[in-house]
């Protein structure tokens, strides 16, 4: 991962099995500019395509995960440029990444920053994490999925209060209590990132195709009815029986040894 980016840093950790992406515009609290978005999506797609990488950690440098879309860049846009630009829908490309993405959020995850975290598969919250949707205060609304995804995580009433007041922020504890984040990691930013890398490392040790199938199965619950989702689960469960890794995993259990997955 020698590719150099303008707005992010990318490296491979955990013996090259985990991709670590750090949003790197700390002076503006990692505001999500168009350049940053292009960098981030390019890096995610590169890590997704890599044979070695099994999971991805996404974090922010400095005191924010990301404080939202870059307001200075948005300020002079008009309705035509917003509708014609690939910018708002391009963010949805994060949802096309097949490998799990773990957001390590310490500090502000506001507006688009909260929405990017919501597009990740697991959110680990540092003690200073703050989640919120302040767009109404700018005379606009969440535009990267916040009105749709937040309600599924924290319920309608709380999502409404967060979005309509723009000032009801969730701290790390409350984000966990409400199910937005998986858990709070105590300690410094480095402790949080190490924990996220450790979780990603555990995922990377699993059979990669089985992980990708599991992520797809869980995500189908967002898009479909229970019955349809159960049908998809059944088909995907059956598909794992075509994997060499499934045979190896079950053999290893019976032979009381660690599985040696070949990711096939
Ligand atoms: N965009 C651009 N610059 C920002 C942003 C941002 N979102 N957030 C912070 N900055 C800049 C500040 O302007 C400041 O720069 P400078 O030093 O040049 O003045 C620097 O970062 C540090 O910020 P503060 O001095 O404000 O730091 P504080 O610790 O005092 O406050 C806050 C931190 C509370 C996070 C505050 O910075 C803040 O309120 N930021 C804006 C949060 C916000 O409103 N986010 C929503 C943005 S809109 C959005 O995300 C829409 C998403 C949908 C887009 C769809 C695609 C088109």
């Amino acid at each position: 991962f020698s590719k150099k980016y303008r707005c992010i840093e990318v490296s491979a950790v955990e013996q090259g099995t985990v991709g670590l992406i750090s949003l790197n515009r700390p002076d503006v609290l990692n505001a999500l500019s168009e350049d940053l978005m292009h960098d981030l999506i390019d890096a995610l797609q590169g890590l997704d395509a890599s044979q070695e990488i099994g999971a991805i950690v996404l974090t922010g440098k400095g005191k924010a995960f990301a404080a939202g879309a870059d307001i200075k860049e948005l300020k002079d846009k008009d309705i035509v440029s917003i509708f014609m630009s690939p910018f708002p829908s391009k963010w949805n490309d994060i949802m096309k990444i097949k490998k799990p993405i773990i957001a390590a959020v310490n500090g502000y995850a506001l507006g688009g920053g909260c929405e990017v975290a919501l597009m990740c598969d697991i959110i680990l919250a540092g003690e200073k994490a703050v989640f919120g949707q302040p767009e109404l205060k700018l005379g606009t609304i969440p535009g990267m999925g916040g009105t749709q995804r937040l309600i599924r995580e924290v319920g309608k009433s709380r999502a409404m209060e967060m979005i309509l007041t723009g000032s009801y922020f969730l701290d790390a504890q409350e984000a966990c209590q409400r199910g937005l984040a998986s858990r709070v990691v105590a300690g410094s930013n480095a402790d949080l990132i190490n924990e996220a890398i450790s979780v990603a490392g555990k995922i990377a040790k699993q059979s990669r195709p089985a992980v990708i199938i599991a992520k797809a199965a869980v995500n189908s619950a967002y898009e479909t009815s229970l019955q349809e989702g159960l049908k998809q689960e059944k088909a995907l469960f059956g598909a794992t029986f075509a994997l060499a890794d499934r045979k190896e995993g079950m053999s290893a259990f019976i032979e009381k040894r660690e599985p040696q997955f070949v990711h096939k």
Side-chain angles (χ1 to χ4, degrees), residues 27-29 31 63 67-72 87 110 112 134-135 138 143:
D27 295 348
V28 287
L29 308 182
K63 68 176 184 179
D70 190 322
I71 300 167
K72 289 161 199 161
F87 188 37
L110 298 180
E135 288 91 340
L138 302 168

Side-chain angles (χ1 to χ4, degrees), residues 89-138:
S89 51
K90 184 89 182 137
W91 281 105
N92 280 328
D93 285 0
I94 295 176
M95 296 303 294
K96 296 181 192 154
I97 301 300
K98 296 191 190 77
K99 291 174 186 166
I101 309 173
I102 297 156
V105 176
N106 203 17
Y108 297 110
L110 298 180
C114 185
E115 293 168 296
V116 167
L118 284 167
M119 284 189 254
C120 295
D121 301 297
I122 299 173
I123 300 177
L124 293 185
E127 284 170 326
K128 293 185 189 144
V130 177
F131 300 86
Q133 300 286 165
E135 288 91 340
L136 263 283
K137 287 182 166 179
L138 302 168

